[in-house]
Amino acid sequence: MQGDIENGAVYPSLKDRVTFVTGGASGIGEGLVEHFCAQGARVTFVDIAANAAEALVERIKDKGHAVPRFIRCDLKQIDQLRAAVDEAAKRDGPIRVLVNNAGNDDRHRTEDVTVEYWDDRMAVNLRHQFFAAQAVRPYMRDAGGGSIVNFGSITWLVGDGDCPAYVTAKASISGLTRALARELGPERIRVNCVLPGWVMTERQVKLWLDEAGEKQIADRQCLPDRLYPPDIARMVLFLAADDSRMCSSQNFIVDGGWV
């Protein structure tokens, strides 16, 4: 039971709102792009997966929703990220919503982690979130405010033991959120963090949803239903819209009640 975009809440403040999404070609990011476009937002998304991104653009166009713009970008290259932000603002106007979604939760053991791998995991999961926020700040400030939605994970809350570098990065994002919210708040820029649980993306199902995974969900999730990208997107829409205008410096957990 994933929910239908057309039957979800409509946020009038998101119509024509300039929105920038990282990692938007697949998984949770794909759902984010689809939902913002259904709201009539003016969406630019970045990713390294060009084929998946272009297919998504065509699918959204066929549905008759606002058509997003895709810019290929390696988020480990901060100059590319900055250029993409400026290009989106030049085309559509000041960015009012930033969704720092991109990340990668590859599994690893402590004894196998090298310095190079650790630095790469920080670049993939943490560093770009700060520099994306830095890049959009002037646009939001000059426009009178905006909403930054960072993506954390419940992995650091529950202490997952099979990806310590990823868990460290995601824990750091909660600290980053608090720091940015305090600094940018006087400019009416809100900064919040969404912590998803185990979301049934194609990648997650293919790599890890085996019999043991199903048992883990049954044992640890309060609700019996599976968590899907639209469940995360609906929370992000709320945080991007004016309806959440006094929400900032908070973690919003969407995990089906993981214990």
Side-chain angles (χ1 to χ4, degrees):
M1 186 173 62
Q2 298 189 40
D4 189 340
I5 290 178
E6 283 72 17
N7 292 330
V10 175
Y11 296 97
S13 62
L14 291 181
K15 182 171 175 55
D16 293 322
R17 182 153 293 181
V18 182
T19 302
F20 191 92
V21 180
T22 66
S26 62
I28 293 173
E30 178 182 4
L32 292 167
V33 172
E34 289 180 321
H35 277 73
F36 273 102
C37 289
Q39 296 284 332
R42 302 167 80 175
V43 178
T44 294
F45 71 99
V46 294
D47 208 298
I48 59 173
N51 290 340
E54 290 163 3
L56 174 60
V57 170
E58 290 303 312
R59 189 162 69 250
I60 292 173
K61 184 186 301 184
D62 290 344
K63 290 181 178 179
H65 295 154
V67 180
R69 183 181 189 185
F70 164 63
I71 301 175
R72 191 185 185 283
C73 174
D74 180 354
L75 291 170
K76 292 191 289 185
Q77 305 301 318
I78 300 303
D79 57 339
Q80 291 184 23
L81 171 59
R82 288 169 170 159
V85 167
D86 290 340
E87 184 178 341
K90 183 177 181 180
R91 185 190 75 153
D92 289 333
I95 295 170
R96 299 290 304 280
V97 176
L98 166 66
V99 185
N100 272 322
N101 160 74
N104 184 284
D105 64 345
D106 277 354
R107 306 302 194 254
H108 52 273
R109 304 296 301 178
T110 294
E111 60 268 24
D112 299 324
V113 173
T114 63
V115 171
E116 292 76 18
Y117 181 79
W118 178 272
D119 290 346
D120 181 76
R121 292 300 88 188
M122 296 304 115
V124 167
N125 293 301
L126 172 62
R127 189 176 67 182
H128 62 83
Q129 295 208 22
F130 172 82
F131 286 103
Q134 182 191 66
V136 302
R137 178 184 184 178
Y139 297 111
M140 291 186 176
R141 179 192 61 218
D142 295 347
S147 175
I148 297 173
V149 182
N150 295 327
F151 263 69
S153 169
I154 66 164
T155 55
W156 73 267
L157 291 177
V158 301
D160 278 0
D162 58 358
C163 49
Y166 176 79
V167 169
T168 300
K170 289 301 184 178
S172 299
I173 291 165
S174 286
L176 174 64
T177 298
R178 301 278 290 183
L180 290 177
R182 175 60 62 183
E183 181 181 356
L184 308 187
E187 299 168 8
R188 293 187 173 84
I189 298 173
R190 300 181 293 109
V191 189
N192 290 290
C193 187
V194 171
L195 281 66
W198 193 355
V199 182
M200 298 294 103
T201 63
E202 181 179 348
R203 178 174 182 269
Q204 294 291 320
V205 171
K206 178 180 179 180
L207 293 179
W208 295 301
L209 191 63
D210 53 15
E211 184 176 346
E214 291 282 8
K215 184 178 186 305
Q216 185 182 34
I217 294 173
D219 290 344
R220 301 191 65 179
Q221 197 172 277
C222 293
L223 298 175
D225 300 315
R226 295 294 178 262
L227 197 63
Y228 292 99
D231 298 306
I232 310 303
R234 285 188 283 269
M235 174 59 77
V236 175
L237 291 179
F238 168 72
L239 293 173
D242 290 351
D243 298 62
S244 59
R245 74 179 195 90
M246 294 302 290
C247 297
S248 193
S249 193
Q250 303 301 316
N251 287 325
F252 290 83
I253 300 172
V254 185
D255 66 355
W258 195 271
V259 294

